[in-house]
Amino acid sequence: MMSSIQMSGRDELLERFLDASSRGDVETVSVLTSQSRELLNRRGDQGWTALMLAARNGHYEVAKVLLSNGCDTSVTNRSGQTAADVAQFWGHRHVVRLLAGGCDRTRDLRHLLPSRAAEEPDTYFNRELLDRKSDRRSDSEWLAAKQASPETVFLLFHQLNPLVSSRAEDAEDGRPDMRLCKLRAPAVQELLKNSDTVVVFLGVEKQETGDGLLAWFALDTEEDPTELLKAEDPSCFFLPGAMPGLLRLSDDDAGVVAQARSVLAWHSRYRFCPTCGSSTKVEDGGYKRTCLRAGCRSLQGVHNTCYPRVDPVVIMLVLHPDGNQCLLGRKKIFPPGMFSCLAGFVEPGEALEAAVRREVLEESGVQVGPVQYVSSQAWPMPSCLMIGCHCVALTTDIKVDESEIEEARWFTRQQVIDALVKDKRAVFSMPPRQAIAHYLLKHWTGFNANL
Ligand SMILES: NC(=O)C1=CN([C@@H]2O[C@H](COP(=O)(O)OP(=O)(O)OC[C@H]3O[C@@H](n4cnc5c(N)ncnc54)[C@H](O)[C@@H]3O)[C@@H](O)[C@H]2O)C=CC1
Ligand SMILES: [Mg+2]
Ligand SMILES: [Mg+2]
Ligand SMILES: [Mg+2]
Ligand SMILES: [Zn+2]
C-alpha cells in the first residue's frame, strides 16, 4: 500500500517533469532536476525522456539544463531514436548541434555567418564624390584663393540642415527627390564676412575642369537665412530636420552631406576649448580647432579634442543558432511595423566584438558568440560611424530592455524576404534601403535582384 502511494507520487513528479520539458518551462525543469536527479533519464508512458521532448519542441534552454545536469544523450525511445535524432527530424538544428556536444561550440556556430560579399556595398552616405585633399588643408593661401574663385561650390547649412531644391519629377517612392543647392561665392559673401562663420573645406572634384581643380566648401549659419534666400533661386529651402529628409538625397549628394554635416556639427558643439574653456581658432580648412590660451594643456602633444569627432556605433544582425532566424527590435520612435537591427555606441576601452555582445545582451537578453564585421557606414547624426556586423546567438530567450526597445523578436529568413520584396504576407517592414541595417538583412538572406 505504502509503496504504491510512493510510486504514484514519483510518477506524478515524472509527469510534471516531462510536461515542463515539453513546454519549455526551464524553471520547473531546473527545480525538479535539483530535487530528483533520477528523473533525468527516465522514460514516460510513451517511452520518451525529458530530453527527447525538449528536442521534439526545439527547447534549447531546457536541453541545456538537462545536459548540464549530466543527462544521457544516448538513451533511445521505442523507435530507437535518440534526442538528437528527434531534434534532427523536426528541424531544430540548434538543438542538434547542442546534443552533438561540439566541444568548441563557438567555432561550430561560425558556419552560420554569411560569407563576405564579393563587392563592397555602395551604401548611402558612403560615396566619396570629392577628393578630400587633406594635404591642402594647411595651405591657407591656396584655400583663400579657392574661396575667391568664381567656380568654387559652397554648400549652405542652417542649423545643420542643408539647402536643397526639390525635384518633383523624381518624387516617386524611395527615389531621391532633393538636390543640394550649389552656391557660388557672391551668394555667401555676406556670411563669409562674419568672423563667427566657420568654413569647412570639403575637397576638390575628382575630374579637372577648365580652370583646374574645382573646390567645394560648406558653411553653417545660425541666423535666419530668409533674407539670404530671397536673392537665390526661390525654389531652394533648408531641409526641415535630419530625418527622414537626409535620406532623400542622391547617393553623390549624401556622401558630401555626411562629411559636411558631421564637421559642421562638431564646430557648432565644440566652440570652446574642451580642456580649459577658452576661445579657439579654426585651422586646417575647418578640420582643427586650436585653443587660444597660451599654456593650455591641449597645445602640447596631440589631442583628440582639437579634431572633429567620430562616434563608433556597432549595429548587428543577430542570427539564431538554428541558422534560419534573426533577431530584430523596434524602438518606440520607429514608423509602425518597422523592425531593425540592434545597435549601440561602442564604449571606451571596448573592442567591437565586446560592444556587440554587451549591447545585444543589454537590449534583448540574448547572449552572442561569434561576431563578424561586414561593412560600415557614415551616419551624420551627427557623427556616428556605423560598424555593421553579423553575429550568432548562443541563447534564444528574449528579454527586452524596455527603456530602449519596445519589442524584439526572432524572424525567419522567409519573413525577412517577404519584407524585402514588400510581399502582402510580410509581417514587418524593413528599415529603409539607406540604412546599413537594410544591407545587413539583405546580405544575410542572400537576396539579389536576379532571384
Ligand atoms: N544606420 C542605421 O541603420 C542605424 C543607425 N543608428 C544610429 O546609431 C546610434 C546609436 O544607437 P543607439 O541604439 O541609440 O545606441 P545605444 O543602444 O548605445 O543607446 C543610446 C544611449 O546611449 C547613450 N550614449 C552612450 N554614448 C553615446 C554617444 N557617444 N552619443 C550619444 N549617446 C550616447 C545615450 O544615453 C543614448 O541615449 C543612434 O543614435 C542612431 O543614430 C541606429 C540604428 C540603425
Ligand atoms: Mg541601441
Ligand atoms: Mg543600447
Ligand atoms: Mg549603449
Ligand atoms: Zn584650452
Side-chain angles (χ1 to χ4, degrees), residues 112-117 121 123 313-319 326-328 340-343 356 372-377 386-391 413 416 420 430-447:
L112 299 177
L113 294 165
S115 47
R116 295 292 296 273
T123 312
V313 176
V314 284
I315 176 159
M316 47 274 165
L317 184 64
V318 184
L319 307 179
C326 65
L327 181 67
L328 300 177
S340 188
C341 298
L342 302 181
V356 167
Q372 178 172 279
Y373 168 75
V374 179
S375 70
S376 67
Q377 176 185 39
M386 306 304 298
I387 300 156
C389 298
H390 284 140
C391 59
R413 193 182 292 263
V416 174
L420 252 171
M430 289 278 288
R433 68 155 187 88
Q434 295 91 334
I436 192 170
H438 185 101
Y439 176 76
L440 291 174
L441 276 157
K442 191 170 165 182
H443 181 53
W444 171 61
T445 63
F447 188 87

Side-chain angles (χ1 to χ4, degrees), residues 314 316 331 341-345 359 363 404-405:
V314 284
M316 47 274 165
K331 282 192 178 188
C341 298
L342 302 181
F345 288 98
E359 284 287 347
E363 296 184 5
E404 190 180 338
I405 304 281

Side-chain angles (χ1 to χ4, degrees), residues 48-49 51-53 55-56 72-90 96 99-100:
W48 285 46
T49 62
L51 188 62
M52 291 171 196
L53 291 165
R56 161 66 184 86
D72 182 355
T73 52
S74 66
V75 179
T76 54
N77 62 17
R78 287 177 198 148
S79 316
Q81 296 169 307
T82 62
D85 295 331
V86 172
Q88 178 76 36
F89 180 80
W90 291 100
V96 177
L99 295 175

Side-chain angles (χ1 to χ4, degrees), residues 330-372:
R330 249 194 76 73
K331 282 192 178 188
K332 289 180 196 81
I333 54 158
F334 283 0
M338 189 181 108
F339 279 77
S340 188
C341 298
L342 302 181
F345 288 98
V346 177
E347 294 195 351
E350 189 174 52
L352 299 181
E353 291 82 354
V356 167
R357 294 192 182 102
R358 178 184 51 73
E359 284 287 347
V360 173
L361 189 63
E362 282 174 10
E363 296 184 5
S364 70
V366 168
Q367 284 177 31
V368 162
V371 175
Q372 178 172 279

Side-chain angles (χ1 to χ4, degrees), residues 238-288:
F238 289 97
L239 273 182
M243 285 290 257
L246 282 181
L247 304 186
R248 291 168 63 185
L249 302 162
S250 70
D251 287 279
D252 279 347
D253 282 356
V256 184
V257 166
Q259 178 191 3
R261 189 175 199 273
S262 291
V263 182
L264 291 171
W266 174 66
H267 285 293
S268 75
R269 288 155 208 215
Y270 291 77
R271 275 189 59 193
F272 297 96
C273 172
T275 304
C276 77
S278 302
S279 298
T280 51
K281 69 167 188 275
V282 177
E283 294 182 320
D284 286 5
Y287 274 77
K288 187 173 184 188

